[in-house]
Amino acid sequence: MLIDVANNAPLLRGLSMPHSPRVHDGKVWLLNSGAGEFGFLDRAAGQFEPVAFCPGYARGLAFAGHYAVVGLSLARENRTFQGLPLDQALAARGAEPRCGLLVIDTRTGNTVQWLRLAGVVRELFDVAVLPGIRNPAAIGFMTDEIQRVISIDDSHAT
């Protein structure tokens, strides 16, 4: 369910494990994660309008212009993630679930880029767009990298 918390009123019912509602370009976008769908609230019809299929458990949504960045996770090995409509949607497409990122053109629903994460990373919980950042890095406090990282801020150079 999607709820308007300001008015304590339901906006959408019948969703499968919805995630990450965001307002962008005058629409409420969200992930119907249990069904593998990215879409928006059609306020006039009062229904969810799917725009793209997401081959994984979608969680985390950000926007850069008319592009949506969606995080995908592999299903956990427990009953919560078994028997979801996503399973049937993947099987119907002959697709395997992925962990990674999708970049979706919101105008067409086409996936224009994707990044698959493999190995120990199985789940993403959110995503963010960092405009103007070219080489981001996540450095752990308990790793050797933190001792060797040098950052030079050239914005104050003469």
Side-chain angles (χ1 to χ4, degrees), residues 1-11 21 43:
M1 174 184 300
L2 178 67
I3 299 174
D4 178 342
V5 293
N7 298 313
N8 196 30
L11 297 173
R43 288 185 185 266

Side-chain angles (χ1 to χ4, degrees), residues 66-86:
H66 57 265
Y67 297 103
V69 181
V70 176
L72 298 178
S73 296
L74 298 174
R76 293 179 190 159
E77 302 298 325
N78 64 33
R79 290 184 299 177
T80 304
F81 291 90
Q82 293 177 355
L84 294 173
L86 173 60

Side-chain angles (χ1 to χ4, degrees), residues 99-115:
C99 178
L101 300 172
L102 292 181
V103 179
I104 300 169
D105 187 326
T106 59
R107 302 166 300 177
T108 64
N110 292 332
T111 297
V112 295
Q113 289 292 333
W114 58 273
L115 171 70

Side-chain angles (χ1 to χ4, degrees), residues 19-37:
H19 267 281
S20 309
R22 307 283 191 261
V23 176
H24 180 72
D25 282 344
K27 292 182 181 177
V28 177
W29 296 87
L30 66 145
L31 304 169
N32 192 19
S33 303
E37 297 171 329

Side-chain angles (χ1 to χ4, degrees), residues 139-140 143-151:
I139 306 294
T143 65
D144 290 339
E145 290 91 0
I146 200 162
Q147 300 297 322
R148 296 188 302 263
V149 172
I150 297 174
S151 177

Side-chain angles (χ1 to χ4, degrees), residues 41-57:
L41 164 64
D42 180 336
R43 288 185 185 266
Q47 65 186 29
F48 178 76
E49 186 64 38
V51 171
F53 177 68
C54 301
Y57 188 79

